[in-house]
Amino acid sequence: MKLLCTLLILSAMLYLSRAAHADTQSGASGESSILEVVPNAYSGTTGTGTFLGPLSNAQRTYQLLIHANQLTNLVGKALTGFSMRIPASATANWPAADLTYTNYDVYLSGSVDPVNRSLTFANNIVGPQTKVRSGALFIPANSYTFGGSPNAFGPVIAFNTAWIYTGGNLLVEIRHQGFSGTSRSTDALLTSTPGYASDFSACWTGSYTGTAGSQGNFTVIQLNAVDPQVLQLTALIEGMYDAGANLMVSDTTKVYLRNSNSPYDLVDSAKGVLGTSGTGTFYFTNAVSGVNYYIVVSHRNSIDTWSNAGYSFTSNSLSFDYTTAASQAFGSNQVLKGSRYTIYSGDANKDGTIDASDLSLIDNDATNFVSGYVATDLNGDSFVDGSDYSIADNNAFLFISVIRP
């Protein structure tokens, strides 16, 4: 009987261990990874050369320019990391011992067409460049295996911040400070390889802070991505909304998702733009479908406003409109302007209450004729004056503050 009990316990432990491993493979958000090898033609084919750069023991700045035609399966996905592989000519696993890069930084942005690549790095960047990874990088011994043609991809270099790919050419920029140990070349494509310059290209320099360099071979990479949860949000900011024209000054807004059960832990956040109609699209990479979350709108000079209840994504999608009724917000914490409900403006210092401290900030800036994109400009006209003070003063008189569960 004791033997039977022992066997049952061991079986249960094995099952739980396998289940935990499966959860690890599916990612932190529970979403399965989407993998895309770039260039696509080399998913199961070894490269035409090697490159000593992204796994070098010396400092490097390395740019990979990727044409949109290599990324069609990733449009609308959240990029979460990438991996590389060692050449088929390798005769041993790498590294021989654990190693740590002092700093291994990754930036993502749009890119010029690979054929137009410049050896001045800044010229290759299109639009804003986002630092998606920073800090030390630990690589366990024998992470990169040999013996295949091509070899298997090594460990994922995970991003600290997921990046939504919306289409177009992609620039992957790697800046690292090297490590103490032996370098390893990556599987790569020579500059004479068909597709180089048209579909992909690269440049590099031997410096962590380099600004220009030389043409380089293109390392074959495997991009990791997940399907994001997409929130279509409609919300209006009181001070920036013109009820007569039914238009709002568009502005950047942050949205948080919080657990629907006490203590309402923060699950995810996303930044986006609420347009002139009050609508915006927000992408989340930690939330999952089928779970209820409170939606919290946090605008730079307005009261953080919670949704009236928890809502869930269905098939990665959710739509929510604050403007149809005061009761769309928790505690009906909105104000009517014209026929639409808006989020209270005036919390210039973001302490959760519109009061004398906010009025003081606005008054000081108005006195000093402050202009530009500042928190004290409540109506979005780029000037701080009496009209901004009036909005905050009215709401301070009403003791407006955050209302949350």
Side-chain angles (χ1 to χ4, degrees):
M1 187 68 178
K2 288 183 178 180
L3 178 59
L4 178 59
C5 290
T6 301
L7 289 173
L8 288 172
I9 291 170
L10 289 173
S11 296
M13 291 175 65
L14 180 59
Y15 172 82
L16 290 173
S17 175
R18 287 174 175 170
H21 179 70
D23 286 344
T24 301
Q25 296 298 313
S26 65
S29 68
E31 300 289 344
S32 297
S33 290
I34 301 160
L35 307 176
E36 183 73 279
V37 175
V38 178
N40 302 159
Y42 290 85
S43 175
T45 302
T46 190
T48 57
T50 65
F51 187 70
L52 183 61
L55 296 179
S56 169
N57 63 3
Q59 292 188 11
R60 290 290 189 270
T61 295
Y62 183 39
Q63 287 190 333
L64 297 165
L65 290 75
I66 305 171
H67 195 280
N69 63 18
Q70 300 295 304
L71 303 166
T72 55
N73 292 329
L74 298 179
V75 176
K77 312 299 183 185
L79 303 185
T80 58
F82 70 91
S83 53
M84 301 169 286
R85 62 195 185 198
I86 58 178
S89 58
T91 57
N93 296 339
W94 185 87
D98 296 349
L99 66 84
T100 301
Y101 280 88
T102 306
N103 278 296
Y104 202 101
D105 303 334
V106 181
Y107 299 79
L108 297 181
S109 69
S111 172
V112 299
D113 277 343
V115 69
N116 296 324
R117 184 215 56 213
S118 170
L119 297 180
T120 299
F121 300 147
N123 294 343
N124 296 324
I125 300 167
V126 174
Q129 190 179 44
T130 302
K131 191 175 190 177
V132 296
R133 192 199 187 283
S134 62
L137 174 65
F138 173 73
I139 301 180
N142 301 309
S143 295
Y144 290 82
T145 58
F146 82 105
S149 184
N151 287 316
F153 282 95
V156 175
I157 298 175
F159 300 156
N160 305 123
T161 304
W163 193 81
I164 305 298
Y165 172 65
T166 57
N169 302 328
L170 176 67
L171 180 70
V172 179
E173 181 175 294
I174 299 169
R175 292 177 180 267
H176 70 71
Q177 290 185 304
F179 64 94
S180 178
T182 303
S183 297
R184 174 69 262 188
S185 295
T186 59
D187 192 31
L189 303 170
L190 301 171
T191 59
S192 58
T193 304
Y196 194 101
S198 59
D199 296 336
F200 51 90
S201 60
C203 52
W204 71 283
T205 191
S207 169
Y208 174 62
T209 58
T211 58
S214 307
Q215 176 173 267
N217 293 344
F218 184 94
T219 294
V220 178
I221 63 171
Q222 181 171 262
L223 292 168
N224 284 42
V226 296
D227 281 310
Q229 306 296 323
V230 183
L231 171 65
Q232 300 292 342
L233 179 70
T234 302
L236 295 168
I237 308 302
E238 176 193 12
M240 296 187 174
Y241 176 59
D242 182 343
N246 193 25
L247 292 173
M248 187 179 78
V249 177
S250 63
D251 202 8
T252 300
T253 304
K254 198 159 190 178
V255 176
Y256 297 97
L257 297 181
R258 289 187 171 274
N259 195 297
S260 62
N261 298 316
S262 180
Y264 315 108
D265 291 334
L266 178 64
V267 174
D268 210 343
S269 65
K271 186 181 291 186
V273 174
L274 291 175
T276 55
S277 63
T279 60
T281 304
F282 297 82
Y283 299 90
F284 300 92
T285 56
N286 293 323
V288 295
S289 291
V291 176
N292 286 337
Y293 304 107
Y294 277 106
I295 302 165
V296 185
V297 177
S298 183
H299 177 258
R300 62 191 174 98
N301 55 28
S302 301
I303 285 293
D304 285 7
T305 304
W306 291 54
S307 59
N308 56 359
Y311 292 88
S312 64
F313 294 87
T314 301
S315 299
N316 306 323
S317 181
L318 170 63
S319 295
F320 188 76
D321 189 344
Y322 277 93
T323 70
T324 57
S327 60
Q328 288 291 91
F330 194 90
S332 295
N333 201 26
Q334 295 192 99
V335 59
L336 183 65
K337 286 190 73 173
S339 61
R340 304 179 76 186
Y341 287 86
T342 65
I343 290 171
Y344 285 107
S345 294
D347 188 11
N349 62 7
K350 295 301 292 181
D351 67 354
T353 301
I354 303 173
D355 56 18
S357 61
D358 302 296
L359 294 176
S360 178
L361 291 173
I362 297 168
D363 185 46
N364 286 339
D365 283 355
T367 300
N368 291 311
F369 304 101
V370 171
S371 61
Y373 190 77
V374 292
T376 48
D377 174 27
L378 304 189
N379 62 10
D381 64 359
S382 296
F383 294 96
V384 184
D385 55 25
S387 60
D388 304 298
Y389 187 91
S390 177
I391 295 168
D393 188 40
N394 288 338
N395 290 335
F397 179 78
L398 296 171
F399 303 102
I400 298 301
S401 63
V402 173
I403 302 178
R404 54 166 293 168

